[in-house]
Amino acid sequence: MSRIRLRHCASTPMSRLRPLRHSSSYTSTSRCSRSWSPAASFAAATDRVRAGTLSQEDAHNLFDELLRQATPLPERSLNDFLIALARAPSYDDRRSGPALGVALFNRVCREDAGPQVASPTVCTYNIIMDCCCRARRPDLGLALFGRVLKIGLKTDHITANTFLKCFCDAKRTDEAVDVLLHRMSELGCVPDVISYSIVLKRLCEDSRSQQALDLLQTMAKQGGVCSPNVVAYSTVIHGFFREGQVGKACNLFHAMMQQGVLPDVVTYNSVIDALCKARAMDKAELILRQMAGNGVQPNKVTYNCMIHGYSTSGRWKESTNMFREMTKRGLIPDIVTCNSFMTSLCKHGRSKEAAEILAAMAAKGHKPDILSYSILLHGYASEGCFADMINLFNSMKDNDIVPNCHVFSILIGAYARCEMMDEAMLIFAEMREQGVCPDVVTYSTVIAALCRMGRLGDAVDKFSEMIVVGIQPEKVVYHCLIQGCCMHGDLVKAKELVSQMMNKGIPRPNIVFFNSVINSLCKEGRVVDAQDIFDLVIHIGERPDVFTFNSLIDGYGLVGKMDTALGILDVMVLAGVQPNVVTYSTLVNGYFKNGMVDDGLALFTEMLSKRVKPTTVTYGTILDGLFRAGRSDDAKKRFHEMIESGITVSVSIYNIILGGLCRNNCANEAITLFHKLGEMNVKFDIATFNIMIDAMYKVRRREDANNLFAAISTSGLVPNAWTYSIVIKNLLKEGLVEEAGNIFSSMEKIGCALSSRLVNDIIRMLLEKGEIAKAGDYLSKVDGKNISLEASTTSLMLSLFSRNGKYREDVKLLPAKYRFFKGLG
């Protein structure tokens, strides 16, 4: 498309516009008969413009014929045609229709146009000025307005408003405000609500919503034709929301209604959308109810906002309800709604339901797009449903959806996360066979997985390959490789990669990155490797921070090297890094974990002398350590000390005390404290209930234990695997096999995950009680994957069922795969 520009004609003072594209090809088939009617031809052409079937070449041919014959074209016919072009629905892009209008107007203004076209009136100029704005050339619109004034045409309010729009589109907002407030009278016009709304919109688009609000208040003071309407209010409300000023937007929304201006669906949608994006779903629901109460019917946009809001807030049930309500109202969800809803379902592990939505979309005539498939593929990938994922991928071809790089990256990432690199690389190869080039995300996914698996050589090969094919590694790729090298001991390569980054101008990994690596190694007990990374940090010029030193202290404490851990504290101080409460708490925890209780208490005293204020975590460490060392009285003293110091006592602290008392044979004291805390309205968590149920069983108060178990749900909590383990094992100790079995069944029904430890404990307890058939039932749950036989269980079975075993004749009651024990021994 050619660039539009103004030019001057030597014989006329009027500026005119160069055509966007002027076809010089005019065949005999386009010539018209002598009875050719300009009005009829332009009417037909106008209809074709509205239908989107008139080409630019056809339009220029029409004007060729117009300028060739003698019958004049009425102004109305030309204006209708130009208006249609200004709003043309389908040309190369939204600008081409208006730009074509400007070009054709340029032709009729030429000196050789003759009398075939009436002189342009102010109405025609208004249309062309609007075309200039729509063609994103408001500067030409302003020039045309100057021509209107120069040739003496009388302006009207439409001219003035179009003039304001040109100023605003040219981002000359201050001048637009000046014209609106001070110069409209010079144009023979009085500003109306439309004039103000044009300027309000521009101010809000310029993030000047507060100035827009001031202008809105000016409108309200003037009243009359300037009184703000729903459009004016909605514009400013939306502006505040765009700037993140939710409070001001909501205040204006309420003020609008107080002024008697009722919001329309656009206003409500703006408010609901902003609240949903802010995840204030309760407020969004309130506005939705208010909307219905005021008789404003929600539309697709409304439901899209609500569904997306619920989805991003993790409230998939509400998202589902909103989707159903939408369909009940007869609103057919479009692809945007369906994609948003599918995203919500997939995020919550409900990909099967998302697949039903995908199928329903196609059945209702909404062809799923590549985003729809990507959402569901990602859902399947997250849930490990590889067969479904591949079937869906294969169905894309049948539905004429061509997979892009993002789609392939989802598949590769799914396999890579599960360390199924053979499958991942098959997808990688197929991707290239289909002519889709991997991008930096694809390569970084593969490289990261290979590094996690310790296949550094393969990872480096992929790194080299991406450079060869012209994809420059980004920071994330280098980070994956450097982390892999650090975790697997290749510090030479890590240093080389850091140097490469710096040479290429890519910021090297900072201390936060290395802290993550050091902390991971320390948690694994690989403190020597962590120390090497620390030395690397110093070598490349990074400065360790308090988190770095705290991680090393924790690591040395974990492997029992408390002298070295304490030495790190000295190094830390020498490096100018101030130890914090986490530093001391970590050291104290290390001493207690290694049985050095008095050393831990001495360090705690030193910590207080240095005015480092302990936290709940610090006291939790000390209390737990003292109870585990059997020093209950000292623990109680420290607890009272904690209360006196004003440190908040959390439920986790109460759990430590209750558990510590039970562990030290003070279960009755724990029960008394538990009841006292209940009277204080302390909000217990599931760990509290677990501790106290176990305590009740220990003092043979089984009825109280059962009551506590029943009270869990009434307290708004859900029993976990540890709860069930406590109840089942205590029931078995008392010989209540049937009751224990019932509890186990209820555990399975609610979907609580079984653990190998619990199943093995149950099997051993049943075998020791001679309940061979019952033990066999639990042995059938051992699958070798999620649940495996422990060595102690196998040893017990060998002693009981081998040739000299106590229950060798009862081995037939076990599942078939365990009957081989009879022949052993």
Side-chain angles (χ1 to χ4, degrees):
M1 183 185 299
S2 303
R3 188 166 60 92
I4 311 170
R5 67 179 185 182
L6 285 171
R7 67 180 185 184
H8 289 281
C9 174
S11 58
T12 176
M14 183 172 63
S15 299
R16 61 180 182 268
L17 302 170
R18 172 173 292 181
L20 286 172
R21 171 182 164 206
H22 186 180
S23 171
S24 58
S25 60
Y26 179 72
T27 65
S28 59
T29 57
S30 64
R31 292 188 182 274
C32 302
S33 66
R34 293 180 180 178
S35 60
W36 187 76
S37 167
S41 297
F42 268 76
T46 300
D47 289 339
R48 288 181 62 193
V49 171
R50 289 169 181 158
T53 60
L54 185 75
S55 69
Q56 295 196 31
E57 184 176 5
D58 289 341
H60 279 289
N61 288 341
L62 177 68
F63 272 71
D64 288 340
E65 188 59 40
L66 172 66
L67 299 177
R68 188 179 292 112
Q69 51 79 52
T71 307
L73 174 67
E75 175 203 348
R76 177 66 178 270
S77 298
L78 175 63
N79 288 351
D80 286 348
F81 181 74
L82 293 175
I83 289 171
L85 281 175
R87 301 169 185 173
S90 58
Y91 277 90
D92 297 337
D93 58 42
R94 289 185 178 180
R95 290 175 289 173
S96 60
L100 179 59
V102 174
L104 295 173
F105 177 74
N106 180 51
R107 294 189 65 188
V108 301
C109 291
R110 286 167 50 183
E111 63 170 287
D112 56 352
Q116 293 89 339
V117 182
S119 298
T121 64
V122 71
C123 180
T124 312
Y125 275 104
N126 291 344
I127 297 166
I128 296 303
M129 287 167 62
D130 182 52
C131 281
C132 290
C133 290
R134 292 173 186 263
R136 298 182 189 175
R137 289 302 306 271
D139 54 321
L140 301 184
L142 293 173
L144 281 171
F145 180 77
R147 178 52 48 197
V148 168
L149 296 181
K150 189 171 184 178
I151 63 178
L153 290 175
K154 185 179 180 181
T155 58
D156 55 18
H157 69 283
I158 296 176
T159 316
N161 287 345
T162 308
F163 178 48
L164 283 173
K165 191 172 186 306
C166 288
F167 261 132
C168 290
D169 286 357
K171 297 187 179 181
R172 295 166 64 177
T173 314
D174 290 334
E175 293 171 78
V177 172
D178 180 58
V179 170
L180 175 70
L181 297 178
H182 308 296
R183 296 176 56 192
M184 289 285 276
S185 58
E186 297 176 15
L187 305 177
C189 307
V190 176
D192 57 12
V193 68
I194 296 175
S195 314
Y196 277 96
S197 295
I198 290 168
V199 179
L200 288 173
K201 183 173 183 291
R202 184 72 252 173
L203 285 169
C204 291
E205 287 173 352
D206 291 345
S207 300
R208 296 165 64 180
S209 297
Q210 182 57 52
Q211 191 174 343
L213 177 60
D214 297 339
L215 191 60
L216 190 73
Q217 292 167 346
T218 300
M219 293 173 68
K221 289 178 184 177
Q222 289 186 0
V225 295
C226 294
S227 294
N229 60 9
V230 66
V231 175
Y233 274 107
S234 298
T235 300
V236 183
I237 289 169
H238 185 65
F240 277 128
F241 277 132
R242 279 183 57 194
E243 293 176 36
Q245 300 191 53
V246 178
K248 287 186 178 181
C250 290
N251 290 340
L252 184 57
F253 176 72
H254 295 304
M256 167 187 178
M257 290 189 287
Q258 290 172 359
Q259 293 297 319
V261 180
L262 294 177
D264 60 10
V265 68
V266 175
T267 322
Y268 279 115
N269 286 347
S270 180
V271 176
I272 289 172
D273 180 52
L275 292 174
C276 288
K277 285 177 178 174
R279 300 193 178 183
M281 294 310 298
D282 292 340
K283 292 181 180 178
E285 290 167 1
L286 185 65
I287 297 296
L288 184 63
R289 288 195 293 269
Q290 184 187 105
M291 180 180 184
N294 289 337
V296 180
Q297 292 299 316
N299 60 13
K300 284 185 182 180
V301 176
T302 320
Y303 284 105
N304 282 348
C305 294
M306 293 298 296
I307 291 169
H308 184 70
Y310 283 131
S311 300
T312 54
S313 300
R315 297 168 63 177
W316 69 267
K317 289 183 179 178
E318 289 87 345
S319 182
T320 302
N321 293 336
M322 194 59 59
F323 188 85
R324 289 173 179 163
E325 181 184 324
M326 179 181 185
T327 54
K328 282 181 183 177
R329 287 180 175 268
L331 293 171
I332 299 174
D334 58 18
I335 197 165
V336 175
T337 314
C338 292
N339 285 348
S340 182
F341 185 43
M342 285 170 59
T343 300
S344 175
L345 292 170
C346 290
K347 280 183 178 177
H348 293 86
R350 307 182 77 87
S351 297
K352 301 291 184 185
E353 293 175 41
E356 293 173 7
I357 299 298
L358 188 76
M361 287 168 66
K364 292 177 180 178
H366 292 298
K367 184 180 178 182
D369 58 12
I370 195 165
L371 177 60
S372 313
Y373 281 97
S374 298
I375 291 166
L376 187 51
L377 284 169
H378 192 273
Y380 283 143
S382 300
E383 295 176 39
C385 302
F386 296 125
D388 292 324
M389 179 182 75
I390 293 301
N391 288 337
L392 179 65
F393 172 74
N394 291 334
S395 73
M396 292 177 69
K397 184 178 180 181
D398 298 333
N399 292 294
D400 299 323
I401 302 291
V402 179
N404 59 14
C405 183
H406 178 61
V407 168
F408 280 106
S409 294
I410 291 171
L411 304 185
I412 292 168
Y415 287 120
R417 279 191 297 275
C418 296
E419 298 187 355
M420 300 168 65
M421 291 310 296
D422 290 340
E423 290 83 353
M425 297 318 297
L426 283 174
I427 298 293
F428 192 89
E430 183 177 344
M431 175 183 189
R432 307 195 63 164
E433 285 174 9
Q434 293 192 20
V436 180
C437 295
D439 63 7
V440 68
V441 175
T442 319
Y443 274 105
S444 62
T445 301
V446 172
I447 290 169
L450 291 170
C451 287
R452 284 196 304 272
M453 296 171 68
R455 293 170 56 178
L456 291 182
D458 292 335
V460 171
D461 288 344
K462 280 295 167 192
F463 178 76
S464 302
E465 178 187 304
M466 72 182 291
I467 295 173
V468 169
V469 299
I471 299 175
Q472 288 304 311
E474 295 179 351
K475 183 170 72 173
V476 65
V477 180
Y478 277 104
H479 279 197
C480 289
L481 271 176
I482 293 170
Q483 184 171 12
C485 292
C486 290
M487 295 298 291
H488 296 285
D490 192 349
L491 297 191
V492 173
K493 186 65 179 179
K495 290 177 185 177
E496 179 187 324
L497 290 166
V498 171
S499 298
Q500 279 186 29
M501 289 182 74
M502 296 171 67
N503 291 337
K504 291 182 177 181
I506 302 173
R508 71 185 180 202
N510 58 19
I511 193 60
V512 175
F513 169 83
F514 284 110
N515 283 346
S516 174
V517 177
I518 290 171
N519 191 51
S520 296
L521 290 169
C522 287
K523 295 295 184 190
E524 294 177 14
R526 296 169 56 188
V527 69
V528 175
D529 292 332
Q531 185 71 56
D532 290 339
I533 305 301
F534 179 85
D535 296 339
L536 172 64
V537 168
I538 302 298
H539 174 79
I540 67 172
E542 278 294 325
R543 188 172 186 270
D545 60 14
V546 67
F547 189 90
T548 322
F549 287 106
N550 289 349
S551 295
L552 284 174
I553 289 171
D554 185 47
Y556 281 114
L558 185 64
V559 297
K561 295 184 176 181
M562 289 308 301
D563 289 342
T564 309
L566 194 62
I568 294 293
L569 179 66
D570 296 332
V571 173
M572 183 178 184
V573 173
L574 288 173
V577 179
Q578 188 67 31
N580 59 13
V581 66
V582 177
T583 313
Y584 284 103
S585 297
T586 303
L587 277 166
V588 169
N589 181 60
Y591 279 123
F592 276 102
K593 286 287 190 295
N594 286 285
M596 304 167 70
V597 177
D598 291 330
D599 290 309
L601 292 175
L603 185 66
F604 180 70
T605 302
E606 179 186 328
M607 169 184 170
L608 296 177
S609 69
K610 293 187 176 180
R611 297 185 179 181
V612 178
K613 187 177 180 180
T615 63
T616 303
V617 175
T618 317
Y619 271 105
T621 299
I622 292 171
L623 293 173
D624 184 60
L626 289 170
F627 275 121
R628 289 185 183 278
R631 295 168 58 169
S632 299
D633 290 339
D634 288 340
K636 292 174 190 176
K637 289 177 185 177
R638 291 291 177 180
F639 177 60
H640 291 301
E641 176 187 295
M642 176 183 180
I643 295 172
E644 290 172 3
S645 67
I647 295 172
T648 303
V649 180
S650 64
V651 69
S652 62
I653 294 294
Y654 287 123
N655 290 343
I656 289 170
I657 294 169
L658 292 170
L661 290 171
C662 293
R663 197 180 297 113
N664 287 277
N665 300 316
C666 301
N668 286 318
E669 188 178 346
I671 292 169
T672 302
L673 175 60
F674 175 71
H675 290 310
K676 183 178 179 181
L677 294 175
E679 292 169 1
M680 295 166 56
N681 295 318
V682 173
K683 190 172 179 62
F684 300 125
D685 59 15
I686 191 62
T688 319
F689 279 96
N690 291 346
I691 292 165
M692 296 316 301
I693 289 171
D694 197 34
M696 295 295 184
Y697 277 118
K698 280 183 178 178
V699 295
R700 300 186 179 279
R701 292 169 60 172
R702 181 161 58 87
E703 194 63 33
D704 290 333
N706 292 340
N707 291 337
L708 268 181
F709 182 74
I712 290 174
S713 58
T714 59
S715 300
L717 300 171
V718 178
N720 59 19
W722 185 238
T723 320
Y724 284 106
S725 177
I726 291 168
V727 175
I728 291 168
K729 287 194 286 186
N730 277 289
L731 289 173
L732 288 174
K733 283 178 184 176
E734 296 184 19
L736 301 170
V737 176
E738 291 299 327
E739 287 187 35
N742 292 335
I743 296 294
F744 187 87
S745 297
S746 67
M747 176 184 182
E748 288 187 299
K749 284 179 183 176
I750 68 166
C752 187
L754 299 178
S755 67
S756 276
R757 181 177 178 180
L758 174 59
V759 174
N760 277 272
D761 285 345
I762 293 172
I763 292 170
R764 287 195 297 270
M765 293 178 79
L766 289 170
L767 289 174
E768 287 165 356
K769 290 180 178 294
E771 297 281 353
I772 309 304
K774 292 288 185 184
D777 292 338
Y778 288 96
L779 278 165
S780 65
K781 299 183 184 298
V782 176
D783 57 9
K785 296 178 182 177
N786 297 320
I787 301 173
S788 303
L789 278 186
E790 294 175 357
S792 56
T793 309
T794 304
S795 176
L796 178 62
M797 291 176 70
L798 181 62
S799 67
L800 294 176
F801 298 112
S802 61
R803 287 177 189 152
N804 300 318
K806 182 178 179 182
Y807 298 116
R808 63 184 179 279
E809 297 303 325
D810 294 323
V811 74
K812 60 181 178 293
L813 299 175
L814 300 180
K817 65 180 179 179
Y818 297 108
R819 293 174 190 170
F820 70 89
F821 279 104
K822 188 176 180 180
L824 301 178

